[in-house]
Amino acid sequence: MKKLRLGVLASGGGTNLQSLIDCCADNSLTAEIAIVISNNPDAGALSRAENAEIKTCCINHRDFDKRAAFDNRVVQQLQESGVELVVLAGFMRIIGPIFLEAFPQQIINIHPALLPAFPGLHVQQQAIDYGARFSGCTVHFVDNGVDTGPIILQAVVPVLEEDRADDLAARILIEEHKIYPQAIQLFAEGRLQIEGRQVHILPTDPNLGSR
Ligand code: GAR
């Protein structure tokens, strides 16, 4: 099976990126990371990509007057790299119509809460403050809302009495590193079918053979 070309957008430390790098390396993910783009020059994700000899590009949003100009620049870079799936891995910028038109149903995100509960920012603290007993993470297609697109996979973790936001974030990240590669592998195998809000997971195609 041909490897799916990923474009990873990341703003932070890049542990999700690292799990994707590792899964590509051990062939549990039939994909290759064509480019890693960050809006943050200091993102740990950029050094992780460089260490793995993956092409990187920093496009600092502060260098652009208008969001559309930034979005166009990122989209151009993704297209020049032949990206087939845009993977948001801790990318802290809103995805606008320019992205969505360039990559229809080809942008996915991971969010550190069980959507539709707690969209937005600081969501581990939100789950604790709300008194939720469980939280988790969600991989979803990106649409024109904030954390509202059709859900692909979710994983659940407990929220413990003594948890601070960092504790819960760390417990959730362990699950993120499992379900993000799984979701991308399903996409790579052509097994995700969107129908309204539902994402159907199709059975394995026997013609694909073993990987
Ligand atoms: C992850 O927890 C991811 O779910 C979250 O940022 C973190 C990035 O960590 N994403 C969002 O909150 C998106 N709104 P990482 O840089 O170590 O992968």
Side-chain angles (χ1 to χ4, degrees), residues 10-17 45 48 89-92 109-112 120-121 123-124 137 147 169 172-173 176-177:
S11 305
T15 67
N16 274 291
L17 168 67
R48 288 178 189 271
F91 187 59
M92 296 307 184
N109 182 43
I110 188 150
H111 181 76
L121 297 176
V123 297
Q124 297 90 350
C137 47
D147 302 323
I172 292 171
L173 268 176
E176 294 188 36
H177 300 159

Side-chain angles (χ1 to χ4, degrees), residues 40-110:
N40 170 13
D42 301 322
L46 288 174
S47 357
R48 288 178 189 271
E50 281 158 17
N51 288 341
E53 298 180 352
I54 293 167
K55 181 172 150 192
T56 61
C57 176
C58 178
I59 304 174
N60 191 337
H61 60 281
R62 295 177 207 277
D63 295 340
F64 296 82
D65 287 343
K66 297 214 165 70
R67 198 177 88 186
F70 169 79
D71 290 0
N72 275 319
R73 182 79 187 78
V74 176
V75 162
Q76 180 193 10
Q77 192 63 245
L78 291 165
Q79 287 173 333
E80 282 174 10
S81 301
V83 164
E84 297 166 299
L85 179 68
V86 180
V87 176
L88 309 183
F91 187 59
M92 296 307 184
R93 308 296 301 166
I94 299 279
I95 294 298
I98 290 169
F99 280 97
L100 295 168
E101 277 163 31
F103 292 97
Q105 300 189 341
Q106 289 168 296
I107 308 175
I108 61 173
N109 182 43
I110 188 150

Side-chain angles (χ1 to χ4, degrees), residues 12-203:
T15 67
N16 274 291
L17 168 67
Q18 188 65 53
S19 87
L20 300 181
I21 291 171
D22 296 345
C23 288
C24 288
D26 72 13
N27 289 322
S28 53
L29 187 49
T30 317
E32 59 190 323
I33 302 174
I35 188 165
V36 173
I37 301 177
S38 183
N39 62 308
N40 170 13
D42 301 322
L46 288 174
S47 357
R48 288 178 189 271
E50 281 158 17
N51 288 341
E53 298 180 352
I54 293 167
K55 181 172 150 192
T56 61
C57 176
C58 178
I59 304 174
N60 191 337
H61 60 281
R62 295 177 207 277
D63 295 340
F64 296 82
D65 287 343
K66 297 214 165 70
R67 198 177 88 186
F70 169 79
D71 290 0
N72 275 319
R73 182 79 187 78
V74 176
V75 162
Q76 180 193 10
Q77 192 63 245
L78 291 165
Q79 287 173 333
E80 282 174 10
S81 301
V83 164
E84 297 166 299
L85 179 68
V86 180
V87 176
L88 309 183
F91 187 59
M92 296 307 184
R93 308 296 301 166
I94 299 279
I95 294 298
I98 290 169
F99 280 97
L100 295 168
E101 277 163 31
F103 292 97
Q105 300 189 341
Q106 289 168 296
I107 308 175
I108 61 173
N109 182 43
I110 188 150
H111 181 76
L114 289 177
L115 294 171
F118 311 124
L121 297 176
H122 311 298
V123 297
Q124 297 90 350
Q125 189 63 52
Q126 283 188 52
I128 291 168
D129 292 346
Y130 198 87
R133 295 290 185 194
F134 291 92
S135 188
C137 47
T138 304
V139 182
H140 63 93
F141 283 102
V142 174
D143 67 5
N144 56 11
V146 175
D147 302 323
T148 53
I151 290 170
I152 303 169
L153 293 178
Q154 293 186 302
V156 179
V157 305
V159 182
L160 305 181
E161 291 281 340
E162 62 277 17
D163 270 352
R164 291 173 315 143
D166 283 355
D167 303 314
L168 180 57
R171 194 175 306 120
I172 292 171
L173 268 176
I174 293 169
E175 300 307 314
E176 294 188 36
H177 300 159
K178 295 177 194 164
I179 67 168
Y180 217 5
Q182 285 169 3
I184 295 168
Q185 182 62 20
L186 288 170
F187 186 98
E189 293 177 14
R191 292 173 58 196
L192 298 178
Q193 187 182 69
I194 305 176
E195 188 183 359
R197 281 221 53 86
Q198 320 293 322
V199 178
H200 302 294
I201 298 180
L202 306 176

